[in-house]
Amino acid sequence: MVPHLVTALTGPINELEQRILDSMPAIERWFRLEWMEHTPPFYTSVDLRNAGFKLAPVDTNLFPGGFNNLTNEMMPLAAQAAMAAVEKICPEAKNLLLIPENHTRNVFYLQNVLCLMRIFRSAGLNVRLGSLDENIKEPTTLTLPTGETLTLEPLERSQRRLGLKNFDPCTIVLNNDLSAGIPAVLENLHEQFLLPPLHAGWAIRRKHNHFRAYEEVAKKFSKLLGIDPWLINPLYSYCGEVDFQAEEGLECLRSNVDMLLSKIRRKYKEYGIQEKPFVVVKADAGTYGMGIMTVRDVRELDSLNRRTRNKMSTIKDGQTVSEVLIQEGVLTYEQVNEAVAEPVVYMIDRYVVGGFYRVHSSRGTDENLNAPGAGFVPLAFAESPHLPQPGMKPGASSPNRFYMYGVIGRLAMLAASYELEATDPEAEVY
C-alpha cells in the first residue's frame, strides 16, 4: 500500500525518487563509508513529511516508543539489527536491562515495551525491566488488555554498576527520554554500556543541534545526487530565551519567524509552488507532540491567546519551555483512508527495521499529527525496504517509495550520530 499523494505537484518527488533509485549503489556505498567513521544511535525513529515537492524529516527521536506499531513481519529484521548493535559493544552480552518511561498506565506504550523485550529476547538476551519510578519498591506486575504481563523491578545501584536483584546486565537500554532530568542512579556507570548515552536525553539534547547536523548531512548527500539540499532539508532557526507566559523574548521569535517565512517564499517562487508558506514553532527539547504551534503569518504572534501561551509554556513532565526551534513547515499530502498521514521510519543500529503512517482524521496538511486522536497504520512492506524494484515507475511500487523514506530516515539517523558526537561531554577536544 502506497497512500494516495493528493497533489498535482508530484513531479519533483517522483524525480527525487527516480534519482535515489538510479543512485542506489552509490547511496549504499556512501552510507557504508559514513558508518565507518561514525557510530549510529542505538535506535531511532524519524517523522517524515512528503509535500509532493519536498520530502524532509521534521523530528528525530532517539528513544522511540512505537515499536508495537510495526508489522510482525519486521520483527526478525529488528532482532537481527538489535543483535548487531549489542554485539559491537558487548559481544559476550547475556543480560540486558531495559529502563522504560514511568507512565505505566499508557497501554500503547506498555505494548511498545513488550515488543522491545521480544526483540531483545529474539536477539539471544535475558531481558528484565528496571524502573526509575521511586514508587516501585518491589517487583510490580502490570497486565495488558491482551492478558500479557510486564514486571517492573526497582533498580539496585552499587558504586560502579546498575542492575536488579540477582541480575547484573552488561548492557542497559534506556527507553526513557530523561525529559525530567538525569537521575543520579544513571550517572558514573563506568563498567556498563548505557544506550543511548545520557546526553541523548532531553535533559541535555536540543533539536537545533540536530538540525544543524542534518543540514551538514543533507548538503553532503545532495552533492552526491546532484540535487538542491532544500528538497530534503527543512530550513530552521532558533531562539534561546523565550517566556510565553510573561510574553518575554517574543521579539526574537517574531524576527526569526519573519526571516524564515521570507526564505521559504523565495524557495516557493523558485520552484513555482503556489502553497502558502508556514513555520512550526516547537520546544527545542521534548517530545510527544507537546509545545508545538503552526504560524502562517508573523502577525499571529502579536495576539497569542492564553490557551496557546499555556500550551507553549510547558511540555512533558512539567518542564518549562524557554528555548524554541522555528522550523520550516513541510506540508503532508499523503492520505490513508482520506485522513492526513505522515510516514515514520524506525531503525535499530544502522538498519531500517520498519515503520508506520501516523494518521489523523481531524488535522490538516499543515498541522502537527502527533496529537491526541492520531492512529497508526503499519507501512505495508511487501518486501524488504532494502530491495527496491528498479525499472518501476516512481510512486507505483511500495518498496520504491519506502526505500526513499528509508534513505531520508537514515540521513536523519546519521545526523543524530554527528549531533551526539558534537555534544558528547566526554569527547576529547583538540
Side-chain angles (χ1 to χ4, degrees):
M1 174 199 68
V2 176
H4 188 38
L5 196 61
V6 193
T7 173
L9 294 168
T10 55
I13 279 297
N14 282 346
E15 186 180 322
L16 176 63
E17 184 177 326
Q18 193 66 60
R19 188 75 61 95
I20 286 174
L21 290 171
D22 291 344
S23 306
M24 190 180 110
I27 289 171
E28 295 306 321
R29 179 177 182 273
W30 183 83
F31 273 120
R32 199 163 58 245
L33 294 176
E34 286 289 333
W35 293 130
M36 289 174 67
E37 300 291 329
H38 305 282
T39 302
F42 181 72
Y43 50 11
T44 317
S45 69
V46 178
D47 295 359
L48 303 176
R49 304 275 285 201
N50 187 349
F53 54 85
K54 177 173 185 145
L55 174 66
V58 293
D59 198 30
T60 301
N61 190 351
L62 299 181
F63 301 84
F67 279 92
N68 54 306
N69 294 315
L70 306 185
T71 62
N72 288 331
E73 290 77 15
M74 290 291 103
M75 289 303 107
L77 185 58
Q80 198 172 12
M83 196 181 301
V86 172
E87 278 179 356
K88 278 194 300 192
I89 56 157
C90 191
E92 73 284 1
K94 181 174 68 172
N95 296 335
L96 183 142
L97 175 62
L98 179 61
I99 300 180
E101 295 280 0
N102 289 346
H103 47 73
T104 54
R105 296 182 182 178
N106 185 326
V107 171
F108 296 109
Y109 177 72
L110 293 177
Q111 289 171 338
N112 157 75
V113 174
L114 189 67
C115 189
L116 277 171
M117 293 185 75
R118 284 185 187 137
I119 289 170
F120 295 135
R121 282 174 179 154
S122 297
L125 296 160
N126 299 318
V127 189
R128 283 164 66 176
L129 295 176
S131 178
L132 290 170
D133 188 344
E134 295 178 355
N135 296 317
I136 302 290
K137 308 284 189 188
E138 58 187 33
T140 303
T141 299
L142 306 173
T143 303
L144 278 66
T146 58
E148 297 167 293
T149 60
L150 292 171
T151 300
L152 292 168
E153 300 180 63
L155 296 169
E156 290 191 357
R157 175 67 198 257
S158 65
Q159 186 174 355
R160 299 177 69 84
R161 295 183 75 83
L162 179 66
L164 308 174
K165 186 176 181 179
N166 301 321
F167 188 76
D168 184 27
C170 162
T171 304
I172 301 163
V173 172
L174 286 174
N175 198 239
N176 182 312
D177 64 22
L178 307 179
S179 291
I182 298 174
V185 73
L186 296 179
E187 295 183 317
N188 302 312
L189 292 172
H190 299 297
E191 297 179 353
Q192 291 163 300
F193 294 95
L194 185 66
L195 302 169
L198 292 178
H199 68 284
W202 289 123
I204 297 174
R205 187 180 180 224
R206 294 296 179 265
K207 293 174 186 176
H208 75 274
N209 287 328
H210 174 73
F211 283 100
R212 180 190 300 139
Y214 183 79
E215 187 173 34
E216 181 183 348
V217 168
K219 285 178 180 175
K220 286 184 180 180
F221 183 77
S222 298
K223 186 176 181 181
L224 175 74
L225 258 63
I227 63 170
D228 180 353
W230 179 76
L231 295 174
I232 59 170
N233 180 35
L235 303 173
Y236 77 96
S237 190
Y238 162 76
C239 284
E241 294 182 12
V242 177
D243 186 330
F244 284 96
Q245 290 288 22
E247 299 188 65
E248 295 174 354
L250 296 186
E251 191 49 50
C252 171
L253 186 58
R254 288 188 191 95
S255 61
N256 278 278
V257 166
D258 194 36
M259 174 194 69
L260 207 53
L261 284 171
S262 296
K263 284 184 176 180
I264 301 166
R265 283 190 203 101
R266 286 198 292 273
K267 275 295 180 184
Y268 278 20
K269 185 176 181 181
E270 179 184 340
Y271 282 92
I273 296 163
Q274 303 300 315
E275 306 292 344
K276 184 176 176 63
F278 67 102
V279 299
V280 177
V281 178
K282 55 177 78 173
D284 201 33
T287 183
Y288 288 98
M290 301 175 75
I292 295 178
M293 67 177 176
T294 299
V295 181
R296 300 166 187 85
D297 189 306
V298 71
R299 288 171 293 188
E300 295 171 22
L301 298 173
D302 295 332
S303 55
L304 293 178
N305 59 36
R306 178 173 295 183
R307 183 181 175 189
T308 301
R309 291 204 309 274
N310 287 342
K311 183 182 80 168
M312 294 300 298
S313 295
T314 56
I315 51 172
K316 184 186 166 195
D317 293 330
Q319 298 300 300
T320 302
V321 174
S322 60
E323 302 170 87
V324 293
L325 179 80
I326 303 103
Q327 187 179 64
E328 174 187 355
V330 182
L331 294 159
T332 179
Y333 272 124
E334 298 201 75
Q335 288 193 357
V336 173
N337 299 328
E338 298 185 359
V340 176
E342 64 186 12
V344 185
V345 177
Y346 271 60
M347 291 155 285
I348 297 178
D349 196 64
R350 59 194 179 99
Y351 304 102
V352 175
V353 298
F356 53 82
Y357 279 98
R358 182 182 288 116
V359 182
H360 208 303
S361 58
S362 59
R363 291 282 170 121
T365 57
D366 63 351
E367 292 183 290
N368 167 42
L369 305 188
N370 189 5
F376 304 96
V377 177
L379 289 178
F381 286 99
E383 296 143 50
S384 166
H386 299 293
L387 294 174
Q389 299 171 338
M392 290 287 285
K393 191 172 70 173
S397 156
S398 59
N400 287 357
R401 173 67 57 82
F402 298 152
Y403 177 73
M404 179 171 67
Y405 290 162
V407 167
I408 304 300
R410 283 185 287 164
L411 291 178
M413 175 173 58
L414 179 60
S417 177
Y418 281 33
E419 170 200 358
L420 291 178
E421 289 168 10
T423 57
D424 185 350
E426 296 182 8
E428 295 184 23
V429 179
Y430 296 97

